[in-house]
């Protein structure tokens, strides 16, 4: 059934995608397996976009399909979640970038993993991060970014946190698309997570769990 789900996502057959995902969840498939299949399918679509086989409306369509699956999967992960709050996380997609599918997965995985998560949404300015950090006093700040050109916004966000005198009060994690260890170093963050599971382990590690 897994391949059926990937094929339906790649084929942009939304109704079929939702039917297969529902059947998989009802049949006891691990929600994480569904997320992993989505990620694989999005990689195929991304590759097709680069090769000129898919176009922008296809990206928008696939984004919507993935958000629908995320909505469907979230309560199932939540069911297994502990109610204990391990720490506060403030997260957002940096300025100039509106990709949020991956960030949303990270949000619900952290939430399900026992964190109190506050999501600033997309295209978040460095100042908006700083303002919210002052109000909320989170333990961890997560920056998501899928566009290479937005690495600079990530770096400026970290710098704004430094300038506001808040850098030693938070741990900063980065992720999304092609972000890697080298980008983490460039922007001055404390940790990089390749996926939502890595984000949760990083956060738990920082909170001494
Ligand atoms: C869907 C999509 C869109 C949708 C976004 C819908 C939405 N609501 O997010 C739309 C159509 C809007 C879009 C627009 C654009 N896109 Co686009 N898009 C994609 C696509 C196909 C999939 C991204 C995705 O959702 N992946 C699935 C998720 C689950 O993966 P993920 O985001 O990496 O997240 C995981 C991890 O990275 C990690 N993670 C994510 N965030 C965080 C944060 C933290 C703190 C941590 C620890 C971990 C973490 O955990 C997640 C879950 O495991 C990618 C191609 C690809 N293969 O990635 C292109 C891609 C990212 N887009 C691209 C481009 C160029 C654009 C546009 C500029 C196109 C244009 N010409 O206008 C615009 C940019 C608009 C803007 N200002 O942001 C390029 C970027 C190239 C680059 N290197 O800069 C890509 C790579 C396509 C390509 N191959 O060219 N896009």
């Amino acid at each position: 059934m897994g391949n059926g789900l990937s094929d339906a996502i790649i084929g942009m057959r939304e109704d079929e995608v939702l039917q297969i995902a529902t059947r998989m969840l009802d049949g006891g498939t691990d929600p994480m397996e569904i997320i992993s299949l989505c990620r694989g399918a999005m990689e195929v679509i991304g590759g097709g976009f680069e090769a000129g086989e898919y176009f922008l409306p296809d990206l928008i369509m696939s984004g919507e399909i993935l958000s629908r699956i995320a909505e469907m999967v979230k309560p199932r992960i939540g069911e297994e979640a502990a109610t204990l709050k391990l720490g506060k996380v403030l997260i957002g997609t940096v300025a100039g970038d509106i990709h949020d599918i991956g960030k949303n997965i990270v949000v619900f995985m952290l939430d399900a993993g026992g964190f109190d998560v506050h999501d600033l949404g997309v295209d978040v300015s460095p100042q908006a991060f700083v303002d919210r950090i002052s109000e909320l006093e989170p333990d961890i700040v997560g920056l998501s970014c899928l566009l290479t050109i937005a690495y600079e916004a990530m770096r400026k966000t970290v710098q704004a946190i430094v300038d506001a005198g808040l850098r030693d009060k938070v741990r900063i994690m980065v992720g999304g698309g092609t972000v890697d260890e080298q980008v983490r170093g460039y922007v001055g963050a404390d940790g990089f997570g390749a996926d939502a599971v890595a984000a949760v382990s990083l956060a738990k590690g920082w909170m001494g769990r």
Side-chain angles (χ1 to χ4, degrees):
M1 215 187 286
N3 287 339
L5 183 71
S6 308
D7 290 347
I9 296 172
I10 294 163
M12 314 273 165
R13 297 187 297 275
E14 185 168 359
D15 292 343
E16 193 183 326
V17 169
L18 298 178
Q19 274 166 19
I20 298 175
T22 307
R23 240 183 293 141
M24 288 175 82
L25 285 169
D26 290 346
T29 304
D30 182 351
M32 287 315 296
E33 193 185 322
I34 295 182
I35 290 170
S36 157
L37 288 166
C38 290
R39 193 172 157 83
M42 292 312 277
E43 269 162 25
V44 174
I45 294 169
F49 180 67
E50 275 173 75
E53 291 154 11
Y54 283 102
F55 302 98
L56 207 55
D58 298 316
L59 292 194
I60 296 173
M61 180 70 176
S62 58
E64 278 171 14
I65 293 177
L66 230 69
S67 303
R68 298 284 303 275
I69 297 183
E71 278 164 28
M72 197 184 264
V73 169
K74 186 173 174 174
R76 311 275 181 144
I77 291 183
E79 276 167 21
E80 295 153 24
T83 48
L84 186 73
K85 291 297 173 202
L86 300 177
K88 246 186 254 175
V89 182
L90 178 68
I91 191 166
T93 301
V94 298
D97 195 330
I98 60 160
H99 293 87
D100 67 355
I101 298 168
K103 169 187 67 63
N104 293 345
I105 295 174
V106 172
V107 167
F108 76 64
M109 284 296 294
L110 283 169
D111 191 20
F115 286 88
D116 178 15
V117 190
H118 298 255
D119 184 1
L120 286 172
V122 297
D123 191 13
V124 182
S125 70
Q127 192 57 47
F129 272 106
V130 166
D131 291 346
R132 201 73 180 105
I133 293 169
S134 306
E135 286 166 24
L136 196 69
E137 300 184 346
D139 304 287
I140 297 167
V141 174
L143 307 179
S144 183
C145 166
L146 269 83
L147 297 175
T148 314
I149 51 161
Y151 292 166
E152 203 47 35
M154 252 182 176
R155 199 185 59 77
K156 284 185 178 154
T157 304
V158 175
Q159 190 55 50
I161 296 170
V162 172
D163 295 344
L166 298 165
R167 185 65 183 90
D168 58 349
K169 298 195 165 50
V170 292
R171 303 273 200 150
I172 303 178
M173 59 161 88
V174 292
T178 54
V179 171
D180 57 15
E181 198 46 45
Q182 204 183 339
V183 176
R184 179 207 64 74
Y186 172 69
V187 305
D190 302 306
F192 148 70
D195 55 31
V197 174
V200 175
S201 339
L202 207 55
K204 283 193 171 165
W206 284 341
M207 300 313 291
R209 299 287 173 149

